[in-house]
Amino acid sequence: MVTRVEITVDIDAEAVRDLAVSDEVQADLGARMERVVEVGQATAPVDTGEYRSKIHRVDGHDADGAVHVDADADHSIYVEYGTRQTDRTGRRIHLPHHTLGHALDAAGGDH
């Protein structure tokens, strides 16, 4: 009686690598990133409106299939991550908002 079963799986590395840049995967990622833009713009803190207006999806994808959403206002990093600047009582003045991180979570992404 046979009590052992052995299965060998050969991974087609090229096919796996090409999957990330396939039209179907890129369409899905594109739709998810558009949702990130929508949520980011809807939840962005607004002082002048520049940060919110600069949240956008970057055209195309990287060689590995990665799709990006950027906020490219000069002060975006400070809105996203805050600063260490404090008032005279030691409280932080510019707290982080994590707008894009939260938008990515809301869109069902992983970061």
Side-chain angles (χ1 to χ4, degrees):
M1 170 158 62
V2 176
T3 60
R4 181 174 166 203
V5 175
E6 188 174 313
I7 299 173
T8 303
V9 177
D10 293 322
I11 303 294
D12 184 346
E14 185 177 339
V16 171
R17 194 172 40 255
D18 292 344
L19 183 62
V21 295
S22 70
D23 292 340
E24 296 83 5
V25 170
Q26 284 302 307
D28 179 65
L29 287 174
R32 288 174 187 261
M33 293 304 106
E34 289 301 329
R35 180 75 178 130
V36 170
V37 170
E38 292 170 9
V39 173
Q41 289 175 341
T43 61
V46 177
D47 185 16
T48 65
E50 181 184 13
Y51 173 73
R52 179 178 59 193
S53 71
K54 296 284 186 157
I55 297 173
H56 66 280
R57 179 178 164 212
V58 177
D59 290 335
H61 59 79
D62 292 349
D64 65 355
V67 179
H68 299 273
V69 170
D70 286 351
D72 56 8
D74 290 338
H75 61 287
S76 294
I77 193 164
Y78 306 116
V79 174
E80 194 69 16
Y81 299 114
T83 69
R84 298 183 72 193
Q85 185 178 6
T86 58
D87 63 14
R88 65 176 182 249
T89 64
R91 290 180 295 197
R92 288 177 67 182
I93 296 173
H94 305 288
L95 297 174
H97 291 277
H98 304 293
T99 304
L100 294 181
H102 293 307
L104 187 59
D105 289 340
D110 184 15
H111 59 97

